[in-house]
Amino acid sequence: VDDAPFLAVEMRAGGAGDAQQLAFRTNVDDWVEAGPEHGLRFAPDERGALKPYLHVRRGLEALVARAVYYDLVELGVEREKGFGVWSGGAFFPIAATA
């Protein structure tokens, strides 16, 4: 059962630190740049593992494909807000830090 109408199947990253920009290609070939208007969120599944979602438009989200999620985590940084990624000047926490 699909839990999002789109799937993010590719990611491109440019820049570094808080100037980093992440762009995702969906399964319908739209490119969406993550940022304040297109947020990333990480929700637990039924086993407690995190599933990443990208806001695409008008309340519709794309589930980030597993391989793309691994690439996303590799770009993660530790900040006082937790472990997460920067894109479009916004920080998206993946996990809280102790």
Side-chain angles (χ1 to χ4, degrees):
V1 176
D2 293 342
D3 61 348
F6 301 106
L7 184 64
V9 296
E10 182 181 349
M11 180 184 72
R12 292 185 183 158
D18 61 0
Q20 179 170 259
Q21 184 63 57
L22 304 175
F24 296 84
R25 184 174 62 84
T26 69
N27 58 313
V28 294
D29 221 24
D30 289 335
W31 281 94
V32 179
E33 292 186 352
E37 294 182 20
H38 298 282
L40 286 166
R41 71 178 181 92
F42 300 85
D45 66 10
E46 61 280 350
R47 297 177 317 227
L50 293 178
K51 292 171 61 174
Y53 295 88
L54 171 70
H55 175 255
V56 176
R57 62 178 169 268
R58 295 185 301 271
L60 299 176
E61 293 182 308
L63 175 64
V64 176
R66 184 176 304 209
V68 177
Y69 181 33
Y70 293 150
D71 293 339
L72 185 62
V73 169
E74 285 184 26
L75 296 173
V77 293
E78 190 81 28
R79 294 289 186 257
E80 62 186 44
K81 298 177 184 179
F83 178 80
V85 293
W86 286 97
S87 186
F91 183 75
F92 300 101
I94 297 172
T97 55

